[in-house]
Amino acid sequence: MSQVGALGLAFFCVCLTALAQVLLKMGMSSSAIQQAMASDMRSIFWLALSSPLIWGGMLCFGASAGLWLLVLGKLEVSMAYPLISLGVVLTTVAGIFILGESVSIYKVLGVALIITGVLILSVKN
């Protein structure tokens, strides 16, 4: 695998992780789980285990972790690891556009700082 291929795979892993976060959030936001969180904490575990959204999120996490091993086998960790922070960017954007979460200047500024940091770390000497 080339370095460009490894970077593409790294970005795919970051996307899978962001998708996992969104699926888990959607699963945990179901009315049954929300009601259980308000009263009977013991049933949350079983409700979560029966949620296809939560299973999908966990599957995405597992696939991402497995594929990340290939990334680490090809890229220097100092190059690969900063890419993980792009997951925060993607998850924030997905939260806004898919989950309808609020946009604030602090979120925009935080995302901009993360992107700036990743770009600075990716500059080769």
Side-chain angles (χ1 to χ4, degrees):
M1 175 185 334
S2 69
Q3 189 165 1
V4 172
L7 284 170
L9 184 58
F11 184 70
F12 180 70
C13 289
V14 169
C15 290
L16 271 178
T17 301
L19 176 60
Q21 291 290 346
V22 171
L23 290 172
L24 291 172
K25 171 63 176 168
M26 291 169 71
M28 290 303 291
S29 296
S30 74
S31 60
I33 291 179
Q34 288 298 306
Q35 288 174 354
M37 289 176 74
S39 60
D40 180 20
M41 294 294 285
R42 291 175 286 162
S43 64
I44 294 172
F45 178 75
W46 300 110
L47 287 169
L49 279 179
S50 66
S51 169
L53 289 169
I54 292 175
W55 277 102
M58 297 305 283
L59 182 65
C60 286
F61 267 133
S64 178
L67 292 171
W68 191 253
L69 295 173
L70 298 173
V71 172
L72 291 176
K74 187 63 180 171
L75 296 179
E76 293 180 6
V77 74
S78 62
M79 179 179 220
Y81 195 71
L83 297 174
I84 291 176
S85 61
L86 292 177
V88 175
V89 174
L90 292 176
T91 305
T92 301
V93 170
I96 292 166
F97 289 105
I98 296 172
L99 301 174
E101 295 179 354
S102 64
V103 181
S104 70
I105 188 66
Y106 298 108
K107 285 182 185 178
V108 172
L109 182 59
V111 165
L113 286 171
I114 291 168
I115 292 171
T116 302
V118 170
L119 289 174
I120 289 171
L121 287 170
S122 69
V123 173
K124 292 185 179 185
N125 293 331

